[in-house]
Amino acid sequence: MMYDDNYFMKLALIEAKTAFEAGEVPIGAIVVQQNRVIGRGHNLTETLEDATAHAEMQALTAASGTLGAKYLIDCTIYVTVEPCVMCAGAMSWTKISRLVYGASEPKFGYTQKAPTALHPKTEVLAGLMADECSELMKRFFKDKR
Amino acid sequence: MMYDDNYFMKLALIEAKTAFEAGEVPIGAIVVQQNRVIGRGHNLTETLEDATAHAEMQALTAASGTLGAKYLIDCTIYVTVEPCVMCAGAMSWTKISRLVYGASEPKFGYTQKAPTALHPKTEVLAGLMADECSELMKRFFKDKR
C-alpha cells in the first residue's frame, strides 16, 4: 500500500460519503502525522444541530485529542472541499504544517474572504482530486432541489 | 435587576475570570436570547488541549444545544475580547443577530484579518466595557512573563 496524498484524500472522500449518506453536506477531513491517521471527521451540522460542526473542526479536535497536544506539528489535513473562514482560522490556531484540499469553494472558501487566515507557515496544496470531491457536492445539491 | 448589554457583558467577564483562574487566556462569552442566557463559555484551549476551544465556540455550541437549532435567531453573543477569524466565521454560520464585544484585539481580531467574516446581517457593538475586559488580559500576560 502506497501512502501518498491521493491515498489520504481517498480516506477524506470516504468521510465525505458518510456525510452524504446521512443527509449532510458531503465534506470530509483527515489529519495525518507520519502516515498515521490521527483525526477524522465529516460534516455533522444537521446531526448535531450545530452550524460549527464542520468536517475540519471534528478532525482537528480529534487529532489534538489523539496527540494530547494543542499544536499539530508535522501534520497534514486533507479536506475534500476548500475550508471556510472558520476552519481556516481553526487550522491557524493549531499551527498545522500542511493543508491539502480538493474542490474549490468560490462562495465560502477562505481564499476569497480571508486569504491570510491560515498560519503563514502552513503549506497549501489545492485541487487534489478536485473532480471527485466536487462531483459529490454537485450530486448532493442536485438531489436537494 | 436591569437586563441590558452591561449586565450580560458582566456575565461574560465572570466567564473570563473563570478562565483566568484556570490559567487560560481570560476570555469569556455569553449567548442571550430574549434576556435568557442560552449558552456560555470560556477559553479552554489548555484544559482541553485543543487550540480551537475558544470561549465563543463553546458558547455558540452550547446555545445551539439549548435551542436544538443550528441558527441563533434573535440572539446576541457577548464576548470580552474581539473575536478571531475562526470565531467570527463560526458566528457567521450560526447567523447570530448581534455581536457585542469589549476589548479590541489588534493582532488576531477578525476586523483586521477578515472584516467580512461575519454574516452581513449581524449587528456589531464594539468596545463595551473595554477597559475591564482588556485589563484582565493585560494582567494575565503580565503574570506570564
Side-chain angles (χ1 to χ4, degrees):
Chain A
M1 182 68 75
M2 183 70 175
Y3 293 123
D4 60 7
D5 284 341
N6 280 301
Y7 173 80
F8 293 115
M9 185 59 90
K10 280 178 194 164
L11 296 188
L13 265 167
I14 290 171
E15 289 291 321
K17 284 171 189 163
T18 304
F20 185 101
E21 282 157 21
E24 300 274 3
V25 175
I27 301 176
I30 296 280
V31 178
V32 176
Q33 187 187 54
Q34 293 166 340
N35 289 335
R36 177 179 166 225
V37 175
I38 60 168
R40 58 181 83 223
H42 56 266
N43 189 38
L44 285 171
T45 54
E46 303 300 330
T47 306
L48 298 182
E49 293 175 324
D50 181 348
T52 73
H54 286 194
E56 300 95 315
M57 303 303 287
Q58 316 289 323
L60 293 169
T61 295
S64 286
T66 302
L67 297 181
K70 269 167 56 179
Y71 298 126
L72 301 176
I73 308 299
D74 295 329
C75 294
T76 298
I77 185 164
Y78 296 85
V79 197
T80 57
V81 176
E82 181 187 339
C84 73
V85 174
M86 171 182 72
C87 292
M91 288 172 202
S92 169
W93 287 114
T94 68
K95 301 185 182 176
I96 199 160
S97 306
R98 193 160 167 260
L99 160 65
V100 178
Y101 68 82
S104 291
E105 182 26 290
K107 191 167 177 193
F108 296 111
Y110 80 96
T111 58
Q112 297 295 315
K113 296 197 80 164
T116 64
L118 289 179
H119 194 278
K121 289 190 180 167
T122 300
E123 289 175 36
V124 180
L125 173 63
L128 186 76
M129 300 178 62
D131 288 347
E132 293 91 323
C133 296
S134 69
E135 195 276 328
L136 198 59
M137 292 286 276
K138 280 179 199 155
R139 188 146 51 94
F140 180 81
F141 286 110
K142 196 179 157 200
D143 287 356
K144 286 277 167 188
R145 272 183 220 121
Chain B
M1 181 68 73
M2 184 70 173
Y3 293 123
D4 60 8
D5 283 341
N6 280 297
Y7 173 81
F8 292 115
M9 186 57 90
K10 280 177 194 163
L11 296 187
L13 265 166
I14 290 171
E15 289 292 321
K17 284 170 188 163
T18 304
F20 185 100
E21 283 156 20
E24 299 275 3
V25 174
I27 301 177
I30 296 279
V31 177
V32 175
Q33 187 187 54
Q34 293 167 341
N35 289 334
R36 178 180 165 225
V37 174
I38 60 167
R40 58 181 82 223
H42 56 267
N43 189 38
L44 285 171
T45 53
E46 302 301 330
T47 307
L48 298 182
E49 293 175 323
D50 181 349
T52 72
H54 286 194
E56 300 94 314
M57 302 302 287
Q58 316 288 323
L60 292 168
T61 294
S64 286
T66 303
L67 297 182
K70 269 169 53 178
Y71 298 126
L72 301 177
I73 308 300
D74 295 330
C75 293
T76 299
I77 185 164
Y78 297 85
V79 197
T80 57
V81 176
E82 181 187 339
C84 73
V85 173
M86 171 183 70
C87 293
M91 289 173 202
S92 169
W93 288 114
T94 69
K95 301 185 181 177
I96 200 161
S97 306
R98 192 161 167 260
L99 159 65
V100 178
Y101 69 83
S104 290
E105 179 31 284
K107 190 166 175 194
F108 296 112
Y110 79 97
T111 57
Q112 297 296 317
K113 295 197 80 163
T116 64
L118 290 178
H119 194 278
K121 289 190 179 166
T122 300
E123 289 176 35
V124 180
L125 174 62
L128 186 76
M129 301 178 62
D131 289 347
E132 293 91 325
C133 295
S134 68
E135 196 277 326
L136 197 60
M137 291 286 276
K138 281 179 198 156
R139 188 145 53 92
F140 179 81
F141 286 109
K142 199 178 155 198
D143 289 355
K144 286 276 166 188
R145 270 181 223 126

